[in-house]
């Protein structure tokens, strides 16, 4: 007898709609339900009113390959279909999804020709045609797009116009008004800034859950702390840190004004803009006029600097004596499997990321380039794919580097985030029962040697500065 997913669907929908969802785990669970409940073969009509699909498409870039291919086919079918009110919601969901993934999906020459015709006659299009066009091209970049706002359209197309034109224009105004704490200097900082101006990262639409965190490994955070986020990108980390750590005030900086503008808009949308200040800054140029802070965080940033150790010194200096520091750094061992894909990425350019992705997807299932690429959620958006496999500057570190960073900044190691994952925790404690708190770096180094995927995301850990 087939499993009944009715209750599971209801639970997932509730999680999405409550705002306590949209994490990668929730999205993965939702995708599994979609795959298990859709008929085979699946037609557009079969998914056109699927509320769970709507939440998935409007939350984050879709994952994995099978769902991307199915939605790419649905997009194509809708492009060549006559207007049908029954499909209007699906058109809008796909248009919002394609804005989220930065139009990363494949298109053939026939699609391109029709899309160009639609773009050339923008003012004469129906709402359905505008939504299809928005699934292939960012509306805000098309000449005359703003006049679509004057048509008074309501319904699904209104959501697409708000996402692809109104929000984009708001971010452009925000970017122009952002404060600048330091100039961006040096060839590496400028190259990284340029990458994230073109492709802000990460792509997200819903921040997800923010459970309050009051301590780490038995050490309590200060009440109403001040927080510094070094390299906040599009703001999700700054927003979650502010909520989870109950910050009185957060200062979040980044090289990219485009990324910061998105962060400001989302903070306003979530009603916490008064607790977060965003500013453009080069971490290596920060001086004594900033800080100190109770908590300093920098995840996925230091390894993109010219000198990650100098970056760590700059960041850790901003923590108060006895303050807390959270860092996230690439593991050389965990990223070894990405080398073939990164080598292939050197043969493509930032303008051909779509073709690069399709090259990878088309490879055999056991191809060493394909396996790790399609397993990463970053692969499913243009900015994420570039960040994963085509970054302009990247260092990969090991445990000797972590020890050096802790030593140079007078930090006490308080544990890896990964120790909170039940499967990893159980495996670690089974091998190293002498370390119930997970604080032995020598043991962790041995554990990673046998389990190289442990730090696939990053080495993510908390530390405390000497008082």
């Amino acid at each position: 007898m087939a499993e009944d997913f009715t209750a599971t669907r209801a639970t997932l929908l509730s999680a999405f709609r409550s705002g306590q969802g949209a994490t990668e785990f929730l999205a993965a669970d939702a995708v599994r339900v979609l795959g298990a409940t859709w008929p085979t073969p699946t037609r557009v009509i079969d998914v056109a009113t699927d509320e769970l699909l709507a939440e998935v498409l409007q939350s984050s870039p879709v994952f994995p390959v099978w769902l991307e291919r199915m939605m790419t086919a649905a997009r194509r079918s809708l492009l060549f279909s006559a207007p049908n009110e029954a499909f209007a919601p699906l058109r809008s969901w796909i248009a919002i999804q394609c804005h989220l993934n930065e139009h990363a999906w494949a298109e053939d020459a026939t699609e391109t020709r029709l899309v160009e015709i639609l773009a050339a006659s923008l003012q004469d299009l129906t709402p359905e045609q505008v939504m299809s066009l928005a699934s292939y091209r960012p509306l805000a970049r098309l000449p005359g797009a703003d006049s679509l706002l004057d048509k008074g359209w309501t319904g699904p197309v209104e959501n697409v116009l708000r996402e692809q034109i109104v929000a984009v224009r708001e971010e452009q105004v925000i970017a122009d008004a952002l404060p600048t704490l330091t100039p961006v200097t040096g060839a590496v900082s400028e190259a990284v800034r340029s990458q994230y101006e073109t492709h802000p990262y990460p792509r997200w639409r819903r921040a997800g859950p923010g459970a309050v965190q009051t301590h780490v490994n038995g050490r309590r955070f200060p009440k109403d702390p001040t927080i510094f986020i070094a390299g906040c990108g599009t703001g999700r980390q700054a927003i979650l840190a502010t909520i989870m750590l109950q910050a009185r005030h957060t200062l979040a900086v980044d090289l990219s004004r485009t990324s910061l503008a998105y962060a400001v808009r989302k903070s306003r949308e979530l009603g916490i803009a008064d607790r977060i200040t965003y500013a453009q800054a080069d971490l290596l140029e920060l001086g004594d006029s900033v800080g100190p802070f109770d908590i300093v965080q920098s995840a996925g940033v230091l390894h993109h600097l010219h000198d990650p150790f100098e970056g760590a010194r700059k960041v850790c200096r901003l923590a108060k004596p006895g303050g807390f520091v959270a860092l996230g750094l690439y593991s050389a061992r965990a990223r070894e499997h990405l080398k073939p894909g990164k080598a292939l990425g050197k043969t493509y350019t930032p303008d051909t990321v779509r073709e690069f992705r399709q090259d990878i997807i088309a490879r055999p299932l056991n191809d060493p380039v394909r396996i790790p690429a399609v397993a990463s959620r970053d692969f499913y958006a243009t900015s994420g794919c570039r960040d994963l496999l085509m970054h302009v500057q990247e260092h990969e570190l090991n445990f000797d580097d972590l020890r050096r960073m802790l030593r140079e900044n007078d930090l006490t190691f308080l544990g890896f985030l990964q120790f909170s994952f039940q499967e990893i925790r159980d495996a670690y404690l089974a091998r190293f029962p002498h370390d119930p708190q997970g604080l032995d770096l020598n043991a962790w180094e041995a554990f990673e040697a046998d389990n190289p995927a442990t730090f696939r995301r990053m080495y993510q850990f908390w530390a405390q500065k000497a008082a």
Side-chain angles (χ1 to χ4, degrees):
M1 181 181 294
E3 183 177 351
D4 185 356
F5 286 92
T6 303
T8 304
R9 274 181 166 269
T11 299
L12 289 169
L13 281 170
S14 176
F16 274 114
R17 292 168 178 174
S18 68
Q20 297 304 304
T23 66
E24 60 186 54
F25 302 108
L26 177 59
D29 287 343
V31 169
R32 281 192 288 272
V33 171
L34 295 179
T37 56
W38 284 348
T40 303
T42 305
R43 303 166 301 165
V44 174
I45 191 67
D46 296 321
V47 303
T49 59
D50 193 314
E51 294 179 286
L52 188 57
L53 174 64
E55 298 298 333
V56 169
L57 289 176
Q58 295 178 99
S59 295
S60 58
V62 297
F63 169 103
V65 168
W66 74 262
L67 184 56
E68 176 179 324
R69 283 176 164 167
M70 187 172 289
M71 291 300 100
T72 302
R75 180 184 68 166
R76 188 183 196 281
S77 176
L78 292 171
L79 176 67
F80 291 100
S81 298
N84 184 331
E85 189 173 327
F87 293 138
L90 179 59
R91 289 182 192 269
S92 73
W93 306 339
I94 292 176
I96 289 172
Q97 166 60 208
C98 290
H99 184 66
L100 270 171
N101 68 43
E102 300 144 300
H103 298 86
W105 295 350
E107 67 178 72
D108 61 32
T110 306
E111 289 171 281
T112 300
R113 283 194 294 271
L114 181 51
V115 167
E116 289 173 351
I117 290 170
L118 293 176
S121 54
L122 186 63
Q123 303 307 317
D124 301 322
L125 302 184
T126 65
E128 289 80 6
Q129 289 173 316
V130 167
M131 288 189 286
S132 278
L133 176 59
S135 300
Y136 285 88
R137 300 291 183 268
L139 290 181
R141 297 182 190 175
L142 300 178
D146 290 62
S147 64
L148 295 175
L149 303 176
D150 299 327
K151 292 184 177 290
W153 288 335
T154 59
V157 70
E158 187 177 10
N159 296 330
V160 175
L161 298 181
R162 184 183 306 114
E163 191 77 12
Q164 291 212 18
I165 300 178
V166 175
V168 172
R169 298 294 181 245
E170 181 183 349
E171 289 166 25
Q172 290 168 344
V173 172
I174 292 169
D176 290 340
L178 283 165
T180 300
L181 296 184
T182 77
V184 177
T185 62
V188 170
S189 290
E190 178 55 37
V192 174
R193 184 202 66 79
S194 179
Q195 172 171 334
Y196 291 124
E197 295 289 15
T198 304
H199 292 125
Y201 173 87
R203 301 293 292 180
W204 64 280
R205 196 157 179 259
R206 297 172 178 173
V212 172
Q213 184 177 358
T214 59
H215 63 279
V216 57
N217 219 336
R219 305 195 186 198
R220 184 167 292 276
F221 296 128
K223 182 179 174 62
D224 301 324
T226 56
I227 298 176
F228 179 72
I229 306 293
C232 66
T234 50
R236 187 170 184 266
Q237 180 193 0
I239 290 167
L240 288 177
T242 301
I243 295 170
M244 295 171 67
L245 302 175
Q246 298 178 294
R248 179 173 76 254
H249 184 259
T250 298
L251 173 61
V253 305
D254 201 85
L255 292 169
S256 164
R257 299 180 79 85
T258 305
S259 298
L260 287 163
Y262 188 90
V264 171
R265 182 176 70 79
K266 296 300 287 185
S267 296
R268 290 175 179 173
E269 183 181 294
L270 293 168
I272 60 168
D274 60 326
R275 294 165 60 193
I276 309 176
T277 297
Y278 293 96
Q280 184 182 39
D282 186 334
L283 295 182
L284 297 179
E285 298 299 317
L286 285 173
D288 295 333
S289 61
V290 177
F293 300 87
D294 296 307
I295 298 171
V296 171
Q297 295 189 348
S298 184
V301 176
L302 299 182
H303 47 240
H304 293 314
L305 301 181
H306 172 68
D307 181 348
F309 297 99
E310 175 62 19
R313 288 190 288 272
K314 289 282 189 179
V315 168
C316 294
R317 181 189 60 78
L318 298 177
K320 293 178 180 179
F324 293 86
V325 176
L327 300 178
L329 302 152
Y330 281 159
S331 160
R333 188 183 296 275
R335 294 175 68 81
E336 180 71 25
H337 65 310
L338 292 175
K339 285 184 176 179
K342 290 162 68 175
L344 179 64
K346 294 182 185 300
T347 67
Y348 288 85
T349 71
D351 295 327
T352 56
V353 176
R354 181 189 296 166
E355 290 77 9
F356 176 45
R357 292 187 69 254
Q358 295 311 311
D359 181 345
I360 292 174
I361 289 173
R363 288 167 178 257
L365 298 182
N366 62 350
D367 184 272
V369 170
R370 189 184 195 277
I371 292 172
V374 301
S376 170
R377 292 189 66 85
D378 280 343
F379 179 73
Y380 295 86
T382 300
S383 59
C385 182
R386 190 177 175 193
D387 194 84
L388 180 72
L389 298 171
M390 301 173 67
H391 205 285
V392 296
Q393 172 72 13
E394 185 174 293
H395 295 274
E396 295 172 350
L397 292 86
N398 57 37
F399 272 86
D400 284 341
D401 296 321
L402 299 188
R403 294 185 185 96
R404 173 185 168 186
M405 205 167 279
L406 291 164
R407 183 177 63 252
E408 288 184 350
N409 295 287
D410 208 5
L411 299 175
T412 298
F413 178 68
L414 298 182
F416 287 112
L417 172 66
Q418 285 79 1
F419 194 57
S420 65
F421 302 158
Q422 193 65 50
E423 184 177 350
I424 292 176
R425 184 186 187 94
D426 289 347
Y428 179 86
L429 292 176
R431 182 168 177 192
F432 302 107
H434 75 279
D435 185 27
Q437 292 183 299
L439 298 178
D440 186 339
L441 286 176
N442 292 329
W444 276 111
E445 185 172 20
F447 186 81
E448 186 190 27
D450 293 338
N451 304 275
T454 302
F455 302 104
R456 179 173 294 173
R457 291 291 297 175
M458 286 180 287
Y459 294 122
Q460 293 173 274
F461 61 92
W462 279 97
Q464 187 171 23
K465 192 173 180 178

